[in-house]
Amino acid sequence: MTIRGFQERIRDLYGAKDAARGELATFVWLAEEFGELATALRSGTDEELALEMADVLAWLATLATLRGVDLESAAARKYGLACPGGCGQVPCGCDPAEKP
Amino acid sequence: MTIRGFQERIRDLYGAKDAARGELATFVWLAEEFGELATALRSGTDEELALEMADVLAWLATLATLRGVDLESAAARKYGLACPGGCGQVPCGCDPAEKP
């Protein structure tokens, strides 16, 4: 499944509800999922963790659609060609204290 | 780009550094990116927003790799067949006050 295909799937399922809710309320739902991810990371089963990660991905895709962002293009632009930290290496050779 | 392909790309770039850092510190980086996403949503340019979304995706992929989660499989399991809220419809017909 491509990133774009997943974003479209979420749009097909929830696009109308998402547009009605708007981006700010959607961000709050995403934040709720982020908290559920923390819970699952701390004390959930492997499957619970996997499904919470899927939920974060889905709500991120929802927010992207509301704001006209193509997640796949953004991911490719940021990470597709070289480490965005500027080291130009695979694996990354940037200072671990910094993030790309 | 598939979700799996992106997760592998991030693993190739950062897998060693991620493993050395561990899942808890990685979650803190993900949280930092989530905050940057909020900033970009509120006051960033479209490109800044897109790249912050890419960063959240990347750090989610990093956390998934550290915990042995295949993000693409998880996304397909949760959202691939039917609305997880149980309505069975496309678009979703669940109560908008509830989330899947």
Side-chain angles (χ1 to χ4, degrees), chain B residues 53-75:
Chain B
M53 289 183 169
D55 285 349
V56 169
L57 193 55
W59 283 96
L60 181 65
T62 279
L63 194 60
T65 297
L66 286 180
R67 286 295 297 264
V69 171
D70 180 288
L71 263 185
E72 183 171 317
S73 296

Side-chain angles (χ1 to χ4, degrees), chain B residues 3-45:
Chain B
I3 297 173
R4 188 169 295 120
F6 180 75
Q7 185 171 355
E8 289 168 351
R9 172 63 174 166
I10 296 303
R11 186 202 62 209
D12 290 343
L13 280 170
Y14 306 116
K17 297 171 77 175
D18 295 338
R21 180 193 319 113
E23 63 184 71
L24 298 182
T26 292
F27 184 82
V28 177
W29 279 116
L30 175 57
E32 181 169 327
E33 292 301 340
F34 189 71
E36 291 179 6
L37 173 61
T39 299
L41 187 69
R42 202 179 43 74
S43 61
T45 63

